Amino acid sequence: MNERSFIFVAEMRVKDEQKEIAIREKAIEMIAKDGFDGLSMQKLAKAAGVSPATIYLYFENREDLLNQLFIDVQEKFTEIALKDFDPEMGFEEGLWLQWQNRLSYIMEYPFHSQFMEQFKNSPLVNNKGIHINSFKEAMQRFCRNAIERGELSVMPLEAFWAIAYGPFYALMKFHLNQKSVGDRPFTLTEDILQQTFRLVIKALKNNNE
């Protein structure tokens, strides 16, 4: 292969990668806005500016597309959520970092976070093609260490998640919608986030500490 041919092939590969990325991002956006029922290969092709045949070059079918999207989104979430995070951290420090990292993720990838929530609540998430990543293991170790050190009360997982992250995601929803209860205008500030976090820590803290 001469130099000119090599450059041509390299450019085609870049264009193909960009086209696949564009298809994936448009599919995530469509699902975030309209749900799974709003996505078809024909609608996606039109929105992404490609032919339906092009989509099938990258994905076997709609189910394969959805599974690959979930895996990609989950990997990106894990990458950001675990940035600078260590399961051996003190509980308060580690949970605050989780709030900060999740804030960064949602602000940078708002459609991704909405897509993930829809997919996690869908029967599709039970597909055998979905793989569990390292995030769950890291968080289990983090909570287990906090309990062993007496920093965290023992409670059902559901109660822990509702207290530790429920207020955070409620604030993020208000912020993204730019309004809160009763359609009051709302913008999330550092002060509001920290005040809420302190209340969460107080609720989760081991009373015997």
Side-chain angles (χ1 to χ4, degrees), residues 74 77-78 81-82 98 102 132-140 165:
Q74 185 75 351
F77 169 77
T78 298
L82 295 184
Q98 277 298 303
R102 292 172 192 232
I132 301 299
N133 58 37
S134 59
F135 178 76
K136 182 178 179 180
E137 180 182 353
M139 296 311 300
Q140 286 176 338
Y165 296 110

Side-chain angles (χ1 to χ4, degrees), residues 21 30 32 36 50 70 98 126 137:
I21 291 172
M30 291 174 67
F36 292 103
V50 300
F70 181 81
Q98 277 298 303
N126 295 320
E137 180 182 353

Side-chain angles (χ1 to χ4, degrees), residues 9-27:
V9 171
E11 289 178 345
M12 289 301 295
R13 287 177 178 171
V14 170
K15 289 181 180 179
D16 288 344
E17 289 176 2
Q18 291 175 340
K19 189 176 295 184
E20 181 181 0
I21 291 172
I23 292 171
R24 289 174 182 263
E25 291 300 316
K26 182 55 67 173

Side-chain angles (χ1 to χ4, degrees), residues 107-120:
M107 296 308 296
E108 186 172 357
Y109 300 98
F111 291 136
H112 287 222
S113 60
Q114 293 174 49
F115 167 88
M116 188 162 66
E117 284 305 307
Q118 290 201 39
F119 201 81
K120 285 167 65 176

Side-chain angles (χ1 to χ4, degrees), residues 45-73:
K46 183 177 181 180
V50 300
S51 68
T54 299
I55 296 179
Y56 287 105
L57 292 175
Y58 306 108
F59 309 101
E60 294 180 7
N61 49 43
R62 185 175 183 271
E63 183 180 11
D64 179 47
L65 167 65
L66 294 176
N67 287 344
Q68 288 197 43
L69 290 178
F70 181 81
I71 291 170
D72 287 348
V73 169

Side-chain angles (χ1 to χ4, degrees), residues 80-149:
I80 295 177
L82 295 184
K83 183 180 179 183
D84 299 325
F85 180 81
D86 185 342
E88 304 301 322
M89 282 179 163
F91 181 70
E92 185 169 345
E93 177 188 8
L95 186 60
W96 177 245
L97 181 58
Q98 277 298 303
W99 278 38
Q100 296 286 69
N101 286 350
R102 292 172 192 232
L103 174 64
S104 297
Y105 171 75
I106 293 173
M107 296 308 296
E108 186 172 357
Y109 300 98
F111 291 136
H112 287 222
S113 60
Q114 293 174 49
F115 167 88
M116 188 162 66
E117 284 305 307
Q118 290 201 39
F119 201 81
K120 285 167 65 176
N121 294 322
S122 164
L124 294 168
V125 78
N126 295 320
N127 187 283
K128 62 182 179 181
I130 299 297
H131 302 286
I132 301 299
N133 58 37
S134 59
F135 178 76
K136 182 178 179 180
E137 180 182 353
M139 296 311 300
Q140 286 176 338
R141 285 176 53 202
F142 173 64
C143 291
R144 189 162 55 244
N145 290 338
I147 291 173
E148 290 175 355
R149 290 192 298 262

Side-chain angles (χ1 to χ4, degrees), residues 29-53:
E29 179 182 343
M30 291 174 67
I31 292 171
K33 290 181 175 179
D34 303 320
F36 292 103
D37 292 338
L39 180 74
S40 68
M41 295 307 224
Q42 289 74 20
K43 288 182 179 179
L44 175 58
K46 183 177 181 180
V50 300
S51 68

